[in-house]
Amino acid sequence: MDDAQIEAVSVGKPPPQYTQIVLADYDPIWPHWFESAAFRIREALGDKALQLDHVGSTSVRGLPAKPLIDINLVVADTTDEPAYVTPLEAIGYELRVREPDWHEHRLLRGFDPPVNLHVFNPGCEEVDRMLVLRDWLRTHPEDRELYANAKRELAAREWKYVQNYADAKSEVIHEILARARA
């Protein structure tokens, strides 16, 4: 995404600008952070939370990551924001991204623990892609190391937005996913 696209999908205040991506070595507290956040999300949404998964680098033992838990949430209809955004705001989440042209994705930011909550519709291929990548990296140390090295190399650069760093990882992710799906 270019700067204009990143700014266009942002909700509320402008997206924070970064000069450095900070990666931490894997921390065994991260699964507990997920469980804590997932419990609060389920309590807030009840049966509106159709699926909740710990994804991203913090979900893979041994992988360095930004100390921020990525969670996929599946709801009946991401465009019906009052059905899930309002209850999540009541527990401290903020709607930060609305991407109608990319799977109707929404992103909410949580702070205790730090969470990026990705919201998708049922059957979204991106949910499956994230789970395939997570599960492959958990069981294939050579690709986990390849991904870790790419992340470290990219994190050493300066980025205007964290999304630029995320986009830069696409090539290695596609390479790993190709092996996972073969």
Side-chain angles (χ1 to χ4, degrees), residues 38-128:
F39 177 81
R40 293 186 68 224
I41 292 165
R42 285 186 189 103
E43 281 217 321
L45 296 181
D47 60 4
K48 293 176 188 164
L50 304 179
Q51 183 177 334
L52 213 51
D53 297 296
H54 187 186
V55 295
S57 296
T58 61
S59 70
V60 179
R61 183 171 295 280
L63 198 55
K66 297 184 308 296
L68 174 74
I69 306 302
D70 283 295
I71 299 175
N72 279 354
L73 167 65
V74 176
V75 298
D77 179 6
T78 60
T79 65
D80 183 10
E81 291 179 10
Y84 64 94
V85 172
T86 303
L88 290 169
E89 286 175 336
I91 61 168
Y93 281 80
E94 295 176 359
L95 180 62
R96 298 294 296 134
V97 173
R98 182 182 293 118
E99 294 181 282
D101 296 333
W102 189 69
H103 309 291
E104 286 292 353
H105 170 255
R106 305 299 191 264
L107 180 125
L108 289 93
R109 183 79 163 86
F111 300 95
D112 186 24
V115 170
N116 275 338
L117 183 61
H118 303 274
V119 188
F120 295 103
N121 288 312
C124 178
E125 64 202 37
E126 186 63 15
V127 172
D128 178 59

Side-chain angles (χ1 to χ4, degrees), residues 167-180:
D167 291 344
K169 296 184 301 180
S170 294
E171 185 176 331
V172 71
I173 289 171
H174 291 305
E175 177 186 334
I176 294 168
L177 278 171
R179 280 191 288 279

Side-chain angles (χ1 to χ4, degrees), residues 102-158:
W102 189 69
H103 309 291
E104 286 292 353
H105 170 255
R106 305 299 191 264
L107 180 125
L108 289 93
R109 183 79 163 86
F111 300 95
D112 186 24
V115 170
N116 275 338
L117 183 61
H118 303 274
V119 188
F120 295 103
N121 288 312
C124 178
E125 64 202 37
E126 186 63 15
V127 172
D128 178 59
R129 187 189 75 81
M130 287 184 183
L131 293 174
V132 167
L133 180 65
R134 178 199 70 189
D135 294 347
W136 181 264
L137 292 173
R138 284 177 172 176
T139 58
H140 291 80
E142 64 287 348
D143 276 338
R144 185 171 51 246
E145 190 59 29
L146 173 69
Y147 189 44
N149 289 338
K151 288 169 57 89
R152 286 185 190 105
E153 179 183 313
L154 293 168
R157 300 182 192 173
E158 289 189 4

